[in-house]
C-alpha cells in the first residue's frame, strides 16, 4: 500500500495574480540547482500571496488485486501465489483493508536498533575477557534488536493526522495499523524466540518478544493453540513471495550478528598447505597497476585489486601464525613449559566449551626460529579461529582440535614461506595504494557532493595509450568532473550507483593495513571513515548495551543503499532519465554482503588500534574513539546479517517441491506452515518463492518489480551464478547454504564448462569454490592449479588470486555426503538423485543459453506477462514488433536499447510503458486507444551484442 500526505494552502481571491502551481519555494529551502529538495515530500502550494489557511489531506491507497490483465497465473484465475489464501473473491480482504484504512504510517516512521549479548554466548572465561579487553576492546555483542516504528496516525482524530498510541489501537481493534510483512520478516519473527526473545533496551532485557499480530477470533476453530488468527488467510502474492498483514504500530525482532574475521572458522587442511605456500610465494609480490597506484581510473576495479593484495597478506600472516605457533610450543615444551599450548585450554574436546575460541598470541619473548628473517620487522597478529558460527556443527569442535595441530605442523615443515621482507614490501605497496585515494593526491579525486550528501568519484576519461586520465580542467581553469555528465562512467559512481560495491573493496584494504599498522589506522581514521559514512553511516541508535552511541551524521544519509524494509540493498542510485520502469535494482547480492563485512572488519581493526593506543599511553581520551569504532563494527555486522538473510531468501532460489530440503533447518520450511515455536504463530513462507516456470537456482538482477536470470554484462548462466558468489572471503561460508550450493552447482558447472569464456574471464574460479563447498575439495584443488594466470587478471577473476582460491578451497568444512560428480568430467555436477542420462544437468535447466529463452519474472499485470506460462517463450510469433533500428540496438534513442536480448528482447517504443522490456511481444494498442500500455514496439536481435 502507499500513503501520501500534502498540505494544500488556499489563498484569498486576488484578481491581480494568476494562479500557479509551485513546489518547495518557501524561505529556508536549499538553494541552487537543487532548490526545493527539502520540500519535495511536503506537498503542493497554490498561489503566491495573501492570507493562507493550511489543510492536511491524507490519502491511503491499497491494491486489492494484482490481476489486471486476467492472464497472469500467479495473480489471476484463482491463483494465490502459493500463499494458501482461501478468500476466493477477495471480498474479505477488501473488507479488511477498509476496516483498517483510518490508521496509516506517519511521517516520523523510523527503523532503530540496539545491540546485546545473546543468552549463553557470553565469553566463557574471565581470563579470556581480560585478554580480549586488552587486545581488542570489550567483547562484541552477539545480536541486534531491530525495531520498526511506524509512527501510527489516525485520519479520524481531531486534527486529521494525530499520532496514536498502541493502547488506543487495542481499545478499537478496527483501528489497528495494518502493514504487510515479507518472507524475510516472517523468518526473523519466527527465529527470534530461539534467541531468547527480544530484550527491550529500556526493560533490562526482561520483556517478552514484541510482535504485531492479527487478533484471534473467539470462535476461530482453526486456532489450535490459543494463538492469534492464522496470517495466511489474508496473505497476498508478490514478486518475492507472500506478504502477510500484521497489526501494530511497532515491529521488532532479533537479528543474530555474524562473527567477522579475516580467517575462516578453521585453518587450511594440512595436505594443501605446501601448495598454498607455493602460490603465496608468487602472489605476495603482486604489484598493483601503475595507474591505480596514482589513483587514476575507476573506483571498482581499483578497489578489487587493493582488496586482492590485502587478502594475500592476511592469508600469508595466517600461515606465518601457524608456523610461529608450532615453533613457540616446541620451545615451551623444551623448556618444560606446558602441555601443548592454548589449543588445550580452549578446545571443547578437553574442557567442554560450547563455543571454542582458538587464539594464539605472539609469545612475550617474541621467539623465532634462528633462520627467521630478523632484518625485516613485520608485525605478528593473533591467530584466531572461531567455531561459534551457525555453519559449524558441534561435531566439528573435536575435528578442529585435531586439525589445528596438523595444520601447524604442515606449516612448520614448509621451508618456502616468503621471508618477512616480502611481507613488509607487500604491506608498503598496499598502504600507499590505499592512501592515494584518501589523501587528495589521486588523479581521479573523490569530491563531496553537498546536494545529495555523498562522496563521489570525479571520474576519469582513461586513455589506454598513455595510461592517464584526460585533463579534467575546463577552459576556465575549473575542475570538471566527467562522472557528473556521464551516468555510465565508472559504473555510474557519480550518480550514486554501486557505491557499496566499490567502496567496500577499498574499506577492506584499509582494514588490512590498519590491522598491521595501527598507527596508520589512527592517523587515517577520519579519511577512511568518509568511505564508510558514504555507504553505511549508522543512524542514531536506540541505545542499549553495546550501542556505542552512533549519533547522527548530518553530512551523509544513513545506510545509503540499505532498504531495511526490503531487507537488502539497492545498488542503483539517482534514476536515469527516463527512469527504469521496473524501479530500483541490485545485481550482486554477494558484493553487498562483502561491503558490509568490510565495514565490520574495519570497525574491529580500529577498535583494536584505539584500544592498543589507550593501553600503551595510559590514555583514557581514546574511549570515545573506541566507542565510535565499535559502533562502526557492529553496524557493519548488522548490515551484513540482514543482507545475508535477504540474499538467501530472494537471490538464492529453491524450486517448488524442494521445500523440505531448503535452508538450514529441515522443519522451518513447510509450505504455508507455522513457526515450530509455540510462542508465536508466525506463518513460515514456502522455501520456493517464485513461480514454477522459473527453474533457475539464482536471481541475476533483482528489481522492484522484476527478477531476471541475467546480468548487466551478459546473459550466460555462469555470469548470473558467478556474480552472486564473489568475492571469496570468510563470510562466504555463511552466505552460501550447503543445500543451495548442491542444488545450483550442476547448472553452474554445465554452463561454465560449455563456454571457454567462463575460464578466460575468471568465472571458473567461483565454480571451483562451490565445488569445494559441496564436498569435492581434492577435485577443486587439483583443477585450481590448472586455472590460467590470465584468468586472475580478467574482469571476473581480477579480485581473486590463486592464493585466495586455494585458501578458500582448503578451509571448506568436511561434507558427510559430497555431491556426486560425473565420473568422466570431474566437476561437471550431478544432481542428487538424478539419473546418469541427464549428464549431471538438473532437469528443467538449460544446458546452453541459446537453447532456451531466459525470461524475467514480472510483478506487473499487463506490462510483461508474456504468455500463460509466466513469460517463458520459445519460438514465439513476433507479432507487431519488427526488428529494432540500429540506433536502438546500440543503446541510443533515449536508452531504449537497454533490454536484455535473450531474456526480454521486446522493447516498448511508445506509450505509457515506453522503454519497458518483455519476454513476449507487446500487445500494441490500436490507434486512438489511450488505455493500452504500449503503442509501438520492436525486437532486439542477436546483433545487439552479448552484453545485454
Amino acid at each position: 500500500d502507499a500513503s501520501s500526505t500534502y498540505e494544500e494552502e488556499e489563498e484569498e481571491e486576488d484578481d491581480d495574480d494568476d494562479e500557479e502551481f509551485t513546489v518547495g519555494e518557501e524561505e529556508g529551502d536549499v538553494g541552487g540547482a537543487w532548490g526545493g529538495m527539502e520540500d519535495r515530500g511536503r506537498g503542493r502550494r497554490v498561489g503566491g500571496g495573501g492570507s493562507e489557511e493550511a489543510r492536511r489531506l491524507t490519502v491511503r491507497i491499497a491494491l486489492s488485486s494484482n490481476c489486471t490483465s486476467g492472464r497472469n497465473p500467479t495473480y489471476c484465475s484463482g491463483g494465490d501465489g502459493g500463499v494458501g489464501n482461501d478468500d476466493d473473491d477477495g471480498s474479505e480482504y477488501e473488507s479488511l483493508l477498509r476496516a483498517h484504512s483510518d490508521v496509516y504510517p506517519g511521517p516520523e516512521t523510523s527503523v532503530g536498533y540496539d545491540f546485546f549479548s545473546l543468552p549463553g554466548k557470553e565469553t566463557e572465561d574471565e581470563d579470556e575477557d581480560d585478554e580480549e579487553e586488552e587486545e581488542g576492546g570489550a567483547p562484541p555483542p552477539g545480536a541486534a534488536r531491530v525495531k520498526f516504528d511506524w509512527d501510527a496516525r489516525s485520519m479520524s482524530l481531531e486534527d486529521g493526522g494525530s499520532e496514536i498510541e498502541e493502547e488506543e489501537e487495542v481499545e478499537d481493534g478496527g483501528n489497528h495499523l495494518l502493514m504487510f510483512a515479507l518472507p524475510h520478516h516472517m523468518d526473523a519473527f519466527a527465529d527470534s524466540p530461539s534467541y531468547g526473545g527480544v530484550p527491550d533496551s529500556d526493560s533490562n532485557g526482561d520483556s517478552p518478544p514484541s510482535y504485531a499480530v492479527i487478533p484471534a477470533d473467539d470462535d476461530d476453530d482453526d486456532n489450535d493453540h490459543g494463538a492469534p488468527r492464522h496470517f495466511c488467510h489474508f496473505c497476498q502474492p508478490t514478486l518475492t513471495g507472500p506478504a502477510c498483514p500484521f497489526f501494530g504500530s511497532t515491529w521488532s525482532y532479533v537479528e543474530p550478528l555474524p562473527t567477522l574475521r579475516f580467517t575462516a572458522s578453521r585453518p587450511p587442511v594440512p595436505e594443501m598447505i605446501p601448495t598454498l605456500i607455493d602460490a603465496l610465494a608468487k602472489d605476495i609480490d603482486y604489484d598493483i597497476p601503475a595507474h591505480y597506484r596514482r589513483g587514476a581510473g575507476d573506483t571498482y576495479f581499483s578497489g578489487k585489486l587493493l582488496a586482492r593484495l590485502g587478502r594475500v597478506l592476511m592469508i600469508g600472516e595466517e600461515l606465518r601464525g601457524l608456523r610461529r605457533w608450532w615453533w613457540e610450543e616446541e620451545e615451551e615444551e623444551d623448556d618444560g613449559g606446558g602441555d601443548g599450548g592454548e589449543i588445550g585450554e580452549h578446545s571443547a574436546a578437553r574442557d567442554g566449551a560450547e563455543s571454542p575460541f582458538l587464539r594464539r598470541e605472539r609469545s612475550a619473548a617474541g621467539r623465532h626460529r634462528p633462520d627467521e628473517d630478523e632484518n625485516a620487522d613485520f608485525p605478528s597478529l593473533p591467530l584466531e579461529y572461531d567455531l561459534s558460527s551457525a555453519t559449524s556443527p558441534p561435531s566439528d569442535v573435536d575435528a578442529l582440535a585435531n586439525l589445528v595441530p596438523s595444520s601447524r605442523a604442515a606449516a612448520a615443515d614448509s621451508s618456502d614461506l616468503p621471508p618477512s621482507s616480502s611481507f613488509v614490501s607487500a604491506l608498503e605497496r598496499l598502504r600507499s595504494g590505499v592512501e592515494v585515494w584518501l589523501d587528495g593526491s589521486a588523479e581521479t579525486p573523490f569530491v563531496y557532493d553537498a546536494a545529495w550528501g555523498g562522496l563521489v568519484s570525479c571520474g576519469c576519461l582513461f586513455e589506454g595509450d598513455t595510461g592517464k586520465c584526460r585533463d579534467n580542467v575546463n577552459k576556465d581553469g575549473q575542475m570538471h568532473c566527467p562522472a557528473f555528465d556521464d551516468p555510465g562512467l565508472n559504473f555510474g559512481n557519480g550518480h550514486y550507483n554501486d557505491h557499496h560495491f566499490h567502496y567496500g573493496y577499498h574499506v577492506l584494504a584499509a582494514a588490512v593495513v590498519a590491522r598491521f599498522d595501527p598507527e596508520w589506522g589512527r592517523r587515517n581514521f577520519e579519511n577512511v571513515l568518509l568511505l564508510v559514512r558514504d555507504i553505511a553511516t549508522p543512524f542514531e541508535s536506540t541505545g542499549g548495551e553495546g550501542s556505542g552511541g552512533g549519533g547522527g551524521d548530518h553530512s551523509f544519509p544513513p545506510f545509503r543503499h540499505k532498504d531495511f524494509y526490503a531487507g537488502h540493498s539497492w545498488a542503483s542510485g539517482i534514476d536515469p532519465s527516463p527512469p527504469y520502469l521496473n524501479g530500483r535494482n541490485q545485481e550482486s547480492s554477494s558484493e553487498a554482503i562483502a561491503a558490509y563485512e568490510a565495514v565490520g572488519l574495519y570497525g574491529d581493526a580500529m577498535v583494536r588500534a584505539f584500544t592498543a593506543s589507550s593501553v600503551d599511553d595510559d590514555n583514557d581520551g581514546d574511549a570515545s574513539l573506541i566507542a565510535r569504532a565499535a559502533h562502526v563494527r557492529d553496524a557493519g555486522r548488522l548490515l551484513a546479517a540482514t543482507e545475508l538473510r535477504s540474499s538467501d531468501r530472494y537471490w538464492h532460489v529453491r524450486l517448488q517441491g524442494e521445500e523440505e530440503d531448503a535452508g538450514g533447518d529441515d522443519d522451518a520450511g513447510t509450505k504455508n506452515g507455522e513457526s515450530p515455536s509455540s510462542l508465536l504463530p508466525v506463518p513460515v513462507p514456502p522455501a520456493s518463492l517464485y513461480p514454477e516456470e522459473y527453474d533457475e537456482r539464482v536471481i541475476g538482477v533483482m528489481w522492484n518489480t522484476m527478477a531476471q536470470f541475467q546480468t548487466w554484462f551478459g546473459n550466460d548462466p555462469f555470469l548470473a551464478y558467478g556474480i552472486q558468489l564473489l568475492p571469496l572471503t570468510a563470510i562466504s561460508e555463511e552466505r552460501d547454504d550447503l543445500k543451495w550450493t548442491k542444488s545450483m552447482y550442476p547448472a553452474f558447472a554445465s554452463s561454465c564448462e560449455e563456454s571457454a569464456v567462463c575460464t578466460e574471464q575468471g568465472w571458473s574460479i567461483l565454480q571451483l569454490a562451490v565445488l569445494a563447498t559441496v564436498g569435492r575439495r581434492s577435485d577443486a584443488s587439483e583443477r585450481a592449479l590448472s586455472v590460467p594466470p590470465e584468468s586472475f587478471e580478467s574482469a571476473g577473476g581480477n579480485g581473486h588470486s590463486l592464493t585466495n582460491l586455494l585458501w578458500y578451497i582448503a578451509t571448506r568444512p568436511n561434507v558427510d555426503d559430497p555431491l556426486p560428480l560425473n565420473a568422466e568430467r570431474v566437476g561437471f555436477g550431478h544432481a542428487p538423485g538424478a539419473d546418469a542420462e541427464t549428464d549431471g544437468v538438473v532437469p528443467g535447466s538449460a544446458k546452453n543459453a541459446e537453447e532456451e529463452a531466459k525470461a524475467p519474472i514480472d510483478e506487473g499485470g499487463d506490462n510483461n506477462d508474456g504468455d500463460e506460462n509466466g513469460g517463458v517463450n520459445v519460438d514465439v510469433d513476433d507479432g507487431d514488433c519488427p526488428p529494432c533500428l540500429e540506433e536502438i540496438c546500440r543503446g541510443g534513442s533515449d536508452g531504449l536499447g537497454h533490454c536484455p536480448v535473450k531474456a526480454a528482447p521486446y522493447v516498448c517504443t511508445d506509450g505509457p510503458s515506453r522503454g519497458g522490456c518483455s519476454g513476449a511481444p507487446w500487445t500494441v494498442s490500436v490507434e486512438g486507444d489511450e488505455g493500452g500500455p504500449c503503442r509501438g514496439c520492436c525486437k532486439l536481435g542477436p546483433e545487439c551484442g552479448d552484453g545485454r
Side-chain angles (χ1 to χ4, degrees):
D1 61 41
S3 297
S4 176
T5 303
Y6 64 84
E7 293 179 359
E8 183 178 288
E9 300 173 353
E10 297 180 342
E11 65 167 335
E12 295 180 349
E13 291 187 9
D14 188 340
D15 294 336
D16 295 330
D17 291 336
D18 293 331
E19 187 174 72
E20 61 180 2
F21 172 73
T22 60
V23 176
E25 294 182 358
E26 296 179 353
E27 183 179 356
D29 287 354
V30 176
W34 300 102
M37 257 181 53
E38 293 186 345
D39 282 335
R40 183 174 300 162
R42 201 157 53 196
R44 63 168 61 181
R45 182 177 65 196
V46 179
S51 61
E52 299 176 341
E53 178 183 353
R55 294 186 306 170
R56 180 186 299 271
L57 174 64
T58 300
V59 179
R60 193 173 193 201
I61 303 171
L63 183 67
S64 63
S65 172
N66 272 356
C67 182
T68 56
S69 67
R71 296 183 299 163
N72 192 308
T74 302
Y75 305 113
C76 306
S77 302
D80 63 9
V83 299
N85 191 333
D86 56 4
D87 183 15
D88 292 335
D89 61 1
S91 58
E92 290 186 62
Y93 176 57
E94 292 179 0
S95 297
L96 176 73
L97 296 178
R98 292 191 180 96
H100 300 279
S101 60
D102 177 65
V103 183
Y104 64 96
E108 302 300 322
T109 292
S110 63
V111 182
Y113 61 91
D114 57 75
F115 303 112
F116 63 95
S117 297
L118 287 172
K121 296 292 184 180
E122 294 84 357
T123 307
E124 303 285 342
D125 191 297
E126 290 187 5
D127 292 337
E128 188 173 321
D129 270 349
D130 296 339
E131 194 174 290
E132 184 84 7
E133 189 79 39
E134 181 176 336
E135 201 276 329
R145 174 179 178 267
V146 180
K147 180 177 180 179
F148 288 79
D149 185 341
W150 297 111
D151 183 36
R153 307 262 174 153
S154 170
M155 291 184 283
S156 61
L157 295 183
E158 183 174 352
D159 66 356
S162 298
E163 185 173 3
I164 61 175
E165 300 294 335
E166 188 73 24
E167 290 76 13
E168 293 175 318
E169 294 187 29
V170 173
E171 291 175 3
D172 183 1
N175 281 339
H176 275 175
L177 173 66
L178 183 150
M179 295 296 288
F180 281 82
L182 301 177
H184 74 280
H185 296 134
M186 292 179 273
D187 292 340
F189 294 160
D191 289 345
S192 289
S194 64
Y195 295 107
V198 185
D200 198 343
S201 59
D202 58 4
S203 61
N204 299 317
D206 296 329
S207 68
S210 172
Y211 302 102
V213 295
I214 295 178
D217 292 339
D218 293 337
D219 58 351
D220 188 354
D221 296 333
D222 296 330
N223 192 347
D224 295 332
H225 43 281
R229 186 176 181 179
H230 198 283
F231 291 25
C232 283
H233 184 67
F234 292 119
C235 293
Q236 301 298 311
T238 72
L239 174 68
T240 52
C244 301
F246 277 51
F247 287 152
S249 60
T250 62
W251 295 357
S252 60
Y253 60 86
V254 168
E255 193 68 76
L257 303 179
T259 299
L260 300 182
R261 303 195 187 282
F262 287 102
T263 59
S265 295
R266 63 201 65 78
V269 292
E271 62 268 23
M272 286 190 63
I273 286 181
T275 304
L276 183 53
I277 289 177
D278 288 343
L280 175 66
K282 297 178 181 178
D283 287 333
I284 195 69
D285 294 327
Y286 174 73
D287 201 3
I288 299 166
H291 60 285
Y292 286 144
R293 294 201 303 270
R294 303 194 313 271
D298 70 280
T299 51
Y300 177 65
F301 287 113
S302 61
K304 290 180 73 174
L305 298 185
L306 289 169
R308 167 181 174 168
L309 182 55
R311 291 287 309 134
V312 169
L313 270 167
M314 276 300 183
I315 294 167
E317 173 56 22
E318 180 178 2
L319 294 171
R320 293 175 77 240
L322 286 168
R323 185 160 70 165
R324 186 168 56 245
W325 191 350
W326 175 267
W327 291 338
E328 291 172 359
E329 263 189 25
E330 289 292 300
E331 292 176 1
E332 288 172 6
E333 290 179 0
D334 290 343
D335 294 339
D339 59 353
E342 297 185 23
I343 180 73
E345 296 175 20
H346 297 288
S347 169
R350 301 247 187 132
D351 65 11
E354 293 182 6
S355 300
F357 179 65
L358 308 179
R359 57 184 296 135
R360 181 68 182 184
E361 300 285 357
R362 180 174 52 172
S363 67
R367 290 183 281 237
H368 300 282
R369 284 184 68 172
D371 59 352
E372 176 73 351
D373 183 358
E374 298 289 354
N375 297 322
D377 182 19
F378 190 75
S380 299
L381 303 181
L383 186 61
E384 304 170 345
Y385 296 115
D386 185 5
L387 269 187
S388 63
S389 68
T391 57
S392 299
S395 60
D396 272 5
V397 174
D398 290 341
L400 180 63
N402 295 324
L403 174 62
V404 171
S406 300
S407 297
R408 288 159 41 205
D413 289 341
S414 299
S415 59
D416 297 327
L417 195 66
S420 292
S421 57
S422 294
F423 287 85
V424 170
S425 176
L427 179 59
E428 176 54 36
R429 295 195 304 276
L430 181 63
R431 183 191 293 115
S432 61
V434 171
E435 198 168 299
V436 70
W437 295 93
L438 303 174
D439 62 8
S441 64
E443 293 180 20
T444 308
F446 282 117
V447 295
Y448 178 75
D449 173 23
W452 290 93
L455 194 70
V456 297
S457 171
C458 185
C460 171
L461 299 176
F462 191 74
E463 297 178 334
D465 54 343
T466 64
K468 296 182 179 180
C469 299
R470 194 181 306 165
D471 191 359
N472 287 348
V473 178
N474 64 21
K475 62 182 180 180
D476 297 324
Q478 300 296 316
M479 186 70 178
H480 172 69
C481 289
F484 297 168
D485 301 328
D486 185 350
L489 187 63
N490 192 14
F491 302 94
N493 180 281
H495 291 240
Y496 292 92
N497 285 352
D498 300 352
H499 275 206
H500 55 332
F501 298 163
H502 295 210
Y503 300 170
Y505 286 114
H506 285 263
V507 172
L508 179 70
V512 172
V513 177
R515 286 290 278 121
F516 286 115
D517 188 351
E519 175 56 34
W520 180 93
R522 292 188 289 270
R523 191 169 62 250
N524 288 275
F525 180 55
E526 293 298 335
N527 285 343
V528 178
L529 211 57
L530 287 172
L531 297 175
V532 173
R533 290 164 65 194
D534 182 83
I535 63 173
T537 290
F539 49 64
E540 188 168 356
S541 172
T542 58
E545 180 188 347
S547 67
D553 188 335
H554 301 295
S555 299
F556 295 89
F559 304 143
R560 182 183 305 279
H561 291 277
K562 190 71 171 187
D563 182 337
F564 266 92
Y565 179 76
H568 57 79
S569 298
W570 297 107
S572 50
I574 304 171
D575 275 338
S577 181
Y580 294 125
L581 297 185
N582 289 309
R584 295 171 293 176
N585 73 85
Q586 176 162 275
E587 184 178 56
S588 180
S589 62
S590 55
E591 285 185 296
I593 292 168
Y596 300 135
E597 175 193 29
V599 170
L601 287 171
Y602 178 71
D604 179 69
M606 293 313 302
V607 167
R608 296 170 187 259
F610 288 126
T611 301
S613 174
S614 179
V615 171
D616 293 344
D617 301 336
D618 193 22
N619 180 12
D620 293 336
D622 284 339
S624 63
L625 291 173
I626 294 172
R628 195 175 178 200
H631 195 67
V632 170
R633 175 198 63 197
D634 296 330
R637 296 170 68 210
L638 174 59
L639 290 169
T642 52
E643 205 78 17
L644 282 165
R645 181 186 293 277
S646 294
S647 296
D648 187 59
R649 240 332 184 167
Y650 304 127
W651 272 262
H652 298 178
V653 179
R654 279 83 179 180
L655 302 187
Q656 293 190 16
E658 295 179 340
E659 286 84 1
E660 60 190 41
D661 291 329
D665 189 353
D666 288 342
D667 63 357
T670 55
K671 185 174 182 179
N672 299 330
E674 294 185 352
S675 165
S677 168
S678 61
L679 298 177
L680 186 67
V682 176
V684 178
S688 173
L689 299 179
Y690 301 110
E692 62 182 11
E693 290 79 13
Y694 190 88
D695 59 3
E696 305 298 345
R697 306 300 182 121
V698 75
I699 298 296
V701 183
M702 180 72 72
W703 298 74
N704 282 115
T705 61
M706 181 169 67
Q708 294 175 297
F709 183 67
Q710 66 173 69
T711 69
W712 282 99
F713 50 90
N715 299 307
D716 289 301
F718 63 78
L719 296 175
Y721 285 106
I723 199 63
Q724 308 305 336
L725 296 168
L726 58 80
L728 299 173
T729 64
I731 205 171
S732 302
E733 186 169 329
E734 296 195 45
R735 180 192 71 203
D736 302 333
D737 172 76
L738 178 59
K739 292 178 180 178
W740 175 69
T741 54
K742 281 186 173 183
S743 72
M744 59 80 93
Y745 180 78
F748 184 17
S750 172
S751 171
C752 191
E753 296 190 7
E754 291 184 359
S755 172
V757 174
C758 184
T759 296
E760 292 170 1
Q761 294 187 355
W763 299 102
S764 63
I765 294 169
L766 300 157
Q767 178 204 341
L768 298 180
V770 179
L771 182 60
T773 300
V774 299
R776 295 293 175 177
R777 184 192 299 126
S778 61
D779 294 324
S781 61
E782 180 180 349
R783 296 186 63 189
L785 299 178
S786 300
V787 175
E790 296 77 13
S791 296
F792 296 102
E793 309 302 328
S794 61
N798 63 3
H800 306 289
S801 63
L802 181 58
T803 297
N804 195 67
L805 174 59
L806 290 172
W807 168 85
Y808 192 80
I809 292 171
T811 57
R812 295 311 85 209
N814 293 326
V815 177
D816 293 334
D817 54 339
L819 184 70
L821 299 178
N822 185 306
E824 296 179 0
R825 297 175 65 185
V826 174
F828 192 44
H830 197 53
D835 186 81
E837 294 296 321
T838 66
D839 201 24
V841 179
V842 176
S845 65
K847 289 187 178 182
N848 189 296
E850 298 294 332
E851 294 180 14
E852 182 176 321
K854 303 302 178 188
I857 306 168
D858 198 286
E859 175 87 345
D862 289 317
N863 275 8
N864 298 307
D865 277 341
D867 59 13
E868 294 182 353
N869 295 319
V872 178
N873 297 283
V874 182
D875 296 329
V876 297
D877 184 349
D878 291 339
D880 297 321
C881 300
C884 293
L885 298 176
E886 184 179 356
E887 65 179 58
I888 295 178
C889 184
R890 291 199 311 265
S893 188
D894 297 329
L896 287 177
H898 71 274
C899 295
V901 173
K902 294 179 181 177
Y906 297 95
V907 186
C908 179
T909 58
D910 187 27
S913 292
R914 185 176 186 275
C917 309
S918 176
W922 290 88
T923 301
V924 177
S925 305
V926 298
E927 184 176 357
D929 181 7
E930 298 296 329
C934 184
R935 294 192 289 271
C937 67
C938 68
K939 181 183 180 182
L940 296 170
E943 66 276 4
C944 293
D946 293 333
R948 311 287 282 286

